[in-house]
Amino acid sequence: MKNPSLVLFTKRLLDLMFYIGILLTLSIPLLFRWAGRFLDIFQRYYLQQTILYMLSGVFCLLIVWELRRMFSTVLADDAFVAENAHSLKRMGKYSFFTALLSLIRIFYAPTPATMVIILVFTIAGLFCIVLCQVSEKAIQYKEENDLTI
């Protein structure tokens, strides 16, 4: 490993994001009740927004979970394994689901930020799918190389 301090920082950051994400996702009903006192949109569409944001939170947590799983192989200095390609494929699907949920959210709270989120998660999904294919090819080359005497 060339830069262990950066690697450990990234691992800790992913862990922190995961656990804070759990707390935030679970607190959405309370946060939206509180926000409803100030913003009519959260009061009027409380249930719809709560469900959509909580589902989005779960998909984002799943993405971070997959990143943490992939990171363990990086720490073990064995990143080109089939499980990482599967993780990338799952992360792509989770990104597309998050974009879809945000698309539904436009009907309840049309904001420019929602459009940005749709765009970001769509691009992230496409990026993960392409990276999965690149990773699968790299794994194939690695396995062929490992068989070479």
Side-chain angles (χ1 to χ4, degrees), residues 48-66:
Q48 296 92 328
Q49 297 245 52
T50 300
I51 291 169
L52 290 170
Y53 273 91
M54 287 190 79
L55 286 173
S56 294
V58 168
F59 284 122
C60 289
L61 284 169
L62 288 170
I63 290 169
V64 175
W65 177 261
E66 294 295 338

Side-chain angles (χ1 to χ4, degrees), residues 4-97:
S5 60
L6 179 62
V7 171
L8 289 175
F9 172 77
T10 306
K11 181 193 179 321
R12 289 186 182 122
L13 183 62
L14 283 172
D15 291 342
L16 184 66
M17 287 171 60
F18 183 71
Y19 293 114
I20 289 175
I22 291 172
L23 291 174
L24 285 173
T25 301
L26 292 175
S27 67
I28 285 173
L30 296 173
L31 291 172
F32 283 14
R33 280 271 183 233
W34 177 80
R37 296 183 351 201
F38 307 101
L39 299 167
D40 182 52
I41 199 86
F42 284 102
Q43 190 174 25
R44 192 171 348 133
Y45 299 114
Y46 171 78
L47 183 61
Q48 296 92 328
Q49 297 245 52
T50 300
I51 291 169
L52 290 170
Y53 273 91
M54 287 190 79
L55 286 173
S56 294
V58 168
F59 284 122
C60 289
L61 284 169
L62 288 170
I63 290 169
V64 175
W65 177 261
E66 294 295 338
L67 283 170
R68 290 174 73 220
R69 287 178 58 178
M70 288 178 65
F71 206 81
S72 66
T73 64
V74 171
L75 290 173
D77 219 15
D78 188 26
F80 292 105
V81 292
E83 187 54 38
N84 284 354
H86 297 304
S87 286
L88 284 165
K89 193 176 289 184
R90 285 190 294 266
M91 289 184 340
K93 290 176 185 176
Y94 301 151
S95 294
F96 289 136
F97 285 133

Side-chain angles (χ1 to χ4, degrees), residues 114-129:
T114 304
M115 295 301 297
V116 170
I117 289 170
I118 293 167
L119 184 64
V120 166
F121 277 98
T122 301
I123 291 171
L126 292 170
F127 180 76
C128 286
I129 299 300

